[in-house]
Amino acid sequence: MTNVISLQPINDVTLMTNLKRVLIIEDDKDISRLLQLQLTDMQFEVDMAYEGNDGLKKALSGNYDFIMIDLMLPGMDGLEICRQIRINKLETPVMMLTSRSEEIDKVLGLETGADDYMTKPFSSRELQARIKAIMRRVNIPQADVKIGIKIFEVDELFVDLEKRIVKVKNESLNLTPKEFELLALLIQNPGKTYSRMDLLNLVWNYNFEGYEHTVNSHINRLRSKIEVDMNKPQYVLTTWGVGYRFKEFGGK
């Protein structure tokens, strides 16, 4: 059996109070079973697909709170599945899995809209920590919401940070978790410029170079949703040679 995950007893199962549904799209059934055991221990309800087209069909049903996708799959590869999930405006968090280790594969996975990327083999502890981190960002408990103003109205843009609602001209938008995190960070600090490395550290928790294009791709997708004209953005602005900032406005 492929040695992909080192299973260990888990004493800290505090991911969610309500059962969450996860979809695993992985053609190696041994790996799928190991992942199923791990995720069941984390209080997930697990569904599986062993082929790309079937996996995409299940993913697009919108019945899942988290999706794990292997990069190399029969029928349709993981990058295309992730791309189709985002094209269809599903915000479901996605983690890419692969045995490849080349940086270009990681960049491609993130640029297609994945929220995280793990290279096999990995330990159960690492898997648990990464999933918890993603799920916390998209399911903020009420007790963790800091006291303060969490609603922003800037021109025709409306953002409710607590409820994760974004509207333009009173029309609701579907942002991926990473797109929302970028917007939330920028809008809470109007006028402050963040370099691409800053954004990688703060939004992706990556502390090394090589992923800057991922930031560019996500900024472009965010702009395509909130800006009237991507070529003349009025909200998310570029500080040339440095990074990005949200326009300054008169209050929060």
Side-chain angles (χ1 to χ4, degrees):
M1 184 168 65
T2 308
N3 182 19
V4 176
I5 304 173
S6 172
L7 290 176
Q8 305 169 29
I10 294 177
N11 298 317
D12 180 25
V13 183
T14 57
L15 183 62
M16 298 290 157
T17 56
N18 298 319
L19 192 67
K20 299 291 181 179
R21 296 193 68 197
V22 62
L23 173 64
I24 299 171
I25 308 175
E26 166 65 72
D27 61 321
D28 188 315
K29 293 187 178 181
D30 290 332
I31 295 173
S32 293
R33 279 192 289 269
L34 286 171
L35 288 170
Q36 182 182 29
L37 285 171
Q38 177 68 24
L39 289 163
T40 299
D41 282 346
M42 294 175 69
Q43 301 179 357
F44 278 107
E45 179 183 328
V46 181
D47 194 7
M48 291 184 284
Y50 304 105
E51 187 268 342
N53 292 299
D54 180 46
L56 177 61
K57 182 178 179 180
K58 289 182 176 179
L60 293 182
S61 71
N63 292 328
Y64 301 98
D65 301 289
F66 188 75
I67 301 174
M68 303 180 74
I69 310 174
D70 187 43
L71 186 63
M72 301 301 294
L73 292 163
M76 180 183 295
D77 66 41
L79 290 177
E80 184 59 27
I81 293 173
C82 187
R83 188 177 291 112
Q84 289 299 320
I85 289 172
R86 297 313 184 209
I87 286 174
N88 282 274
K89 299 182 178 180
L90 289 181
E91 303 173 39
T92 312
V94 172
M95 176 182 284
M96 300 294 296
L97 302 173
T98 184
S99 55
R100 296 183 181 182
S101 59
E102 291 85 352
E103 292 298 305
I104 187 61
D105 294 321
K106 297 180 182 180
V107 171
L108 285 173
L110 294 169
E111 289 189 357
T112 54
D115 296 278
D116 206 351
Y117 188 109
M118 291 191 69
T119 302
K120 309 169 193 174
F122 47 80
S123 71
S124 60
R125 291 291 183 187
E126 180 185 7
L127 177 67
Q128 180 190 32
R130 300 279 278 275
I131 292 176
K132 281 187 175 184
I134 292 173
M135 296 304 288
R136 281 194 193 100
R137 290 197 292 266
V138 296
N139 296 278
I140 304 172
Q142 195 70 23
D144 289 346
V145 177
K146 295 180 181 178
I147 297 174
I149 298 173
K150 293 297 179 181
I151 294 177
F152 296 82
E153 293 186 68
V154 184
D155 300 331
E156 295 178 309
L157 176 65
F158 172 89
V159 180
D160 186 327
L161 298 181
E162 184 175 339
K163 296 181 179 178
R164 301 180 74 88
I165 294 172
V166 180
K167 296 180 181 180
V168 172
K169 296 182 179 179
N170 209 33
E171 216 174 286
S172 295
L173 304 179
N174 292 312
L175 302 188
T176 67
K178 282 292 181 289
E179 290 165 359
F180 183 86
E181 288 170 42
L182 277 170
L183 178 58
L185 175 65
L186 294 172
I187 202 170
Q188 289 180 95
N189 300 277
K192 180 178 179 179
T193 294
Y194 291 88
S195 71
R196 292 167 182 80
M197 280 302 297
D198 289 336
L199 294 173
L200 282 171
N201 294 339
L202 293 168
V203 178
W204 279 268
N205 295 316
Y206 291 143
N207 298 309
F208 48 88
E209 297 179 0
Y211 286 76
E212 289 89 345
H213 291 299
T214 295
V215 175
N216 296 345
S217 297
H218 280 75
I219 289 288
N220 287 337
R221 280 199 292 271
L222 175 61
R223 281 174 168 168
S224 73
K225 296 178 181 180
I226 68 171
E227 304 285 0
V228 175
D229 184 352
M230 279 187 61
N231 296 317
K232 297 178 180 178
Q234 59 178 314
Y235 299 119
V236 177
L237 309 178
T238 300
T239 302
W240 296 107
V242 183
Y244 301 100
R245 70 188 190 279
F246 197 91
K247 66 172 288 185
E248 293 188 59
F249 53 89
K252 298 185 183 181

